[in-house]
Amino acid sequence: MDDRQPYPSDVTDAQWALIGPFLDAWRAKRVSVAGRLGEQDLREVVNAILYQNRTGCQWAYLPHDLPQKPVTYYYFGLWRDDGTDQTIHDLLRCQTREKAGRAEDPSAVAVDTQSIRAANHVPAATTGKDAGKKVPGRKRGLAVDALGLIIAVVVTAASVTDNAIGIALLDRVAEHVPTVTHAWVDAGFKQDFALHGAVLGIDIEAVRRSDARPGFVPVKKRWIVEQVNGTLMLHRRLVREYESRTESSVSRTLWASMANMVRRLTGSSTPTWRHG
């Protein structure tokens, strides 16, 4: 990185100090038969992933001074499949909560889904049409804590019901963050979802929208997940579904969340891209 101009999406030295040690430890476990470690600059691989997340560019349009698709996708796929991205994300979330004066793990989450249109090349077998919103593509389900930090992500065809996505989210929350005992949802989540929450020891509270006030009115408790969805949309790779595999879409969401958390932890910000 020393011989190129930085991009706004690059991790700073302070941000890399939060991510780098985990990836160094990951690489140390992957010694080759000849006893050699990989020589690729993992910081530059992370910069390439974050650049693509932020700009939404195609693989062939990655800048020539960043690692190209064969290298970047190789590591992106490895970290997606072995859970490294999830591990780093969860450790950063614990640090972010501690910095805010909270316990490492939350006791409550807000749950919601968002329908996203899919690009032409996305396999039809993994997409569908949201019957309510009439959106063809996929649904991204999120469970977030009171600080807007992502606890669980599920990506499915848009035709899958909110109930089914919510149940999958609750399973992931219960598995990874057993301290959660309460969840706020909207009226789209039905009785099956509430019953599943009861089985897992999670009390489900439906927070309904008020019709008494005209125009847009933030909904108490539940608004935080809407805010997270809006923040994710700043990462243009997430505005539309481009990934062939839903697992890749989940990983993209985790990387966007990590980029947001390292900025919180270091008190930094990404320069605005809205000039002109």
Side-chain angles (χ1 to χ4, degrees), residues 108-163:
V109 294
V111 175
D112 202 2
T113 66
Q114 181 183 33
S115 294
I116 304 163
R117 291 183 180 274
N120 306 0
H121 67 274
V122 176
T126 64
T127 63
K129 189 171 185 178
D130 184 329
K133 299 175 183 175
K134 310 302 181 185
V135 175
R138 287 179 177 156
K139 271 186 187 176
R140 181 187 302 127
L142 295 179
V144 307
D145 68 7
L147 298 178
L149 304 177
I150 293 175
I151 306 300
V153 188
V154 170
V155 177
T156 69
S159 53
V160 177
T161 65
D162 286 357
N163 253 11

Side-chain angles (χ1 to χ4, degrees), residues 12-58:
T12 64
D13 289 344
Q15 292 169 359
W16 180 245
L18 296 169
I19 299 174
F22 300 121
L23 292 181
D24 289 340
W26 173 86
R27 172 147 55 189
K29 296 177 182 178
R30 294 182 59 84
V31 179
S32 70
V33 176
R36 293 194 297 268
L37 297 175
E39 298 178 355
Q40 182 63 45
D41 185 343
L42 296 184
R43 179 171 177 174
E44 285 291 77
V45 173
V46 169
N47 285 336
I49 293 172
L50 297 182
Y51 179 95
Q52 193 177 39
N53 251 24
R54 192 76 182 188
T55 65
C57 75
Q58 298 173 7

Side-chain angles (χ1 to χ4, degrees), residues 38-227:
E39 298 178 355
Q40 182 63 45
D41 185 343
L42 296 184
R43 179 171 177 174
E44 285 291 77
V45 173
V46 169
N47 285 336
I49 293 172
L50 297 182
Y51 179 95
Q52 193 177 39
N53 251 24
R54 192 76 182 188
T55 65
C57 75
Q58 298 173 7
W59 285 105
Y61 287 85
L62 279 172
H64 294 299
D65 50 3
L66 286 173
Q68 295 301 287
K69 176 182 178 178
V71 171
T72 302
Y73 186 77
Y74 172 76
Y75 283 99
F76 173 80
L78 278 180
W79 296 335
R80 174 198 65 205
D81 295 341
D82 69 7
T84 296
D85 53 3
Q86 183 77 61
T87 299
I88 297 175
H89 176 274
D90 291 350
L91 290 170
L92 289 175
R93 186 189 68 234
C94 291
Q95 292 178 41
T96 305
R97 285 184 57 83
E98 286 184 328
K99 184 179 180 181
R102 303 293 186 104
E104 280 191 3
D105 292 322
S107 60
V109 294
V111 175
D112 202 2
T113 66
Q114 181 183 33
S115 294
I116 304 163
R117 291 183 180 274
N120 306 0
H121 67 274
V122 176
T126 64
T127 63
K129 189 171 185 178
D130 184 329
K133 299 175 183 175
K134 310 302 181 185
V135 175
R138 287 179 177 156
K139 271 186 187 176
R140 181 187 302 127
L142 295 179
V144 307
D145 68 7
L147 298 178
L149 304 177
I150 293 175
I151 306 300
V153 188
V154 170
V155 177
T156 69
S159 53
V160 177
T161 65
D162 286 357
N163 253 11
I165 296 174
I167 287 171
L169 282 170
L170 287 183
D171 286 338
R172 295 194 181 191
V173 168
E175 179 182 357
H176 297 291
V177 190
T179 55
V180 171
T181 58
H182 199 88
W184 296 294
V185 300
D186 65 21
F189 294 89
K190 307 301 181 183
Q191 187 177 14
D192 289 349
F193 175 76
L195 290 174
H196 193 73
V199 171
L200 296 174
I202 300 175
D203 181 45
I204 306 301
E205 179 183 350
V207 184
R208 300 183 183 279
R209 192 179 302 276
S210 172
D211 295 327
R213 294 169 59 187
F216 172 75
V217 180
V219 181
K220 184 180 180 182
K221 302 293 186 182
R222 212 183 75 217
W223 165 241
I224 188 65
V225 71
E226 302 284 357
Q227 187 179 51

